[in-house]
Amino acid sequence: MDKEAPKDARAPRQGKARAAGRAGTRAPRAGEPARARPTQARARFTLEAIVGAADELLRTQGVEAVTTRNVAARAGVSVGALYQYFPNKEAILIEISKRIMDEASVAASPELFRLHRQSLDELLQALFRRTVHTEKRLFSLGKDFYRRYARQMQFGRAQGLGRGDCTSEQLVANMARLLRQHAEEVGEADTELAAFMLVRGMRILLATLVEERPELLDSPSLVQMLVRIARAMTDARLEEGAGQDDGVTASP
């Protein structure tokens, strides 16, 4: 009797564990958002183990090796435990992209603060140097990874203008605020449009460069060329000056 009691006492707990396991291993629905971030130390440790395992697989075997089963095995957790944090492998890979961008943002913040009162050209040069460095880092994880999981990252995330869950709209607003702080150098009256073109347009431009001609990331002319493009977006006086020059040239 006494020997059987512990077995009977364990049965309800075992049933609950099996039920929890079955609930945790269900296949995620399409479009299901990432799980809530853990707050306890053990949960944070598990999350970091999962992301670290995925990052290691990505670097050593490529994006196709990053499956939920492989990641769980490398991290030393069950697939059900993994699903408590990420609905699928895509969410894990996007998390890796976000972390790279956020790390770059943290590193860029002191320089951005220091250059806050410097000229807009100096600020843009610093932003684009950081941008090119981050693009190289993302691309080093593989062309497939870059195309599928890093391309959608917005310009500004890695440059100290926002991180974490910062939305595209917030990045545009932060860029517009930055342009207004340099109002004497910005000849474009529509700073909202200029900010939108910088945040969204420059990211598409760079993503296309990385995907089609990644070797050009090493060109010493790239940063200055990006600054010139950005200045053309933010200063309508450059176009007016060009028009005046054309008028002088065309005169007899």
Side-chain angles (χ1 to χ4, degrees):
M1 293 291 292
D2 292 340
K3 292 182 179 179
E4 293 298 324
K7 181 178 179 181
D8 294 339
R10 287 196 301 270
R13 289 197 294 270
Q14 290 172 342
K16 290 180 181 179
R18 284 195 293 270
R22 286 195 297 271
T25 56
R26 68 170 178 79
R29 293 185 292 271
E32 188 175 357
R35 309 303 187 207
R37 285 291 178 261
T39 55
Q40 296 181 355
R42 185 174 180 180
R44 287 197 300 270
F45 177 83
T46 302
L47 173 66
E48 294 307 316
I50 292 169
V51 176
D55 185 73
E56 185 178 350
L57 285 168
L58 178 63
R59 293 176 187 279
T60 58
Q61 301 181 40
V63 69
E64 295 304 325
V66 184
T67 65
T68 52
R69 188 176 298 277
N70 287 347
V71 171
R74 180 67 64 94
V77 301
S78 68
V79 174
L82 183 148
Y83 281 145
Q84 293 177 23
Y85 299 92
F86 298 100
N88 46 48
K89 75 169 192 176
E90 282 74 20
I92 302 173
L93 289 163
I94 289 173
E95 176 68 16
I96 291 173
S97 289
K98 287 181 177 179
R99 288 189 177 206
I100 291 174
M101 300 290 268
D102 288 347
E103 287 170 12
S105 181
V106 170
S109 293
E111 184 177 22
L112 187 65
F113 180 79
R114 180 176 60 81
L115 292 171
H116 178 70
R117 298 188 181 279
Q118 303 302 316
S119 71
L120 182 59
D121 279 356
E122 289 177 285
L123 182 59
L124 289 172
Q125 286 178 28
L127 288 176
F128 286 121
R129 277 197 304 272
R130 294 278 183 181
T131 300
V132 171
H133 175 77
T134 305
E135 295 295 328
K136 289 180 179 180
R137 185 178 173 190
L138 289 167
F139 188 73
S140 72
L141 296 175
K143 186 174 183 178
D144 230 21
F145 168 80
Y146 184 92
R147 179 178 55 83
R148 291 160 63 180
Y149 304 107
R151 192 185 204 281
Q152 78 278 7
M153 295 296 163
Q154 302 297 341
F155 176 77
R157 273 189 71 101
Q159 292 75 29
L161 295 179
R163 53 182 175 267
D165 295 326
C166 190
T167 65
S168 177
E169 289 75 17
Q170 289 171 322
L171 288 171
V172 170
N174 291 343
M175 178 63 79
R177 189 178 304 112
L178 187 65
L179 294 178
R180 287 194 294 271
Q181 289 169 355
H182 291 81
E184 70 282 356
E185 300 176 75
V186 177
E188 176 55 60
D190 195 340
T191 53
E192 185 177 354
L193 174 61
F196 181 88
M197 292 299 292
L198 280 171
V199 170
R200 302 299 299 274
M202 296 301 283
R203 185 70 188 90
I204 293 171
L205 180 67
L206 281 163
T208 302
L209 175 70
V210 173
E211 291 178 357
E212 297 185 11
R213 297 291 304 278
E215 73 279 4
L216 293 178
L217 284 171
D218 293 322
S219 171
S221 301
L222 180 57
V223 170
Q224 288 301 327
M225 187 176 293
L226 292 171
V227 171
R228 290 197 300 272
I229 294 171
R231 292 296 281 131
M233 291 179 182
T234 59
D235 197 347
R237 293 171 298 188
L238 297 175
E239 183 179 350
E240 293 171 1
Q244 292 172 359
D245 290 343
D246 290 343
V248 171
T249 303
S251 298

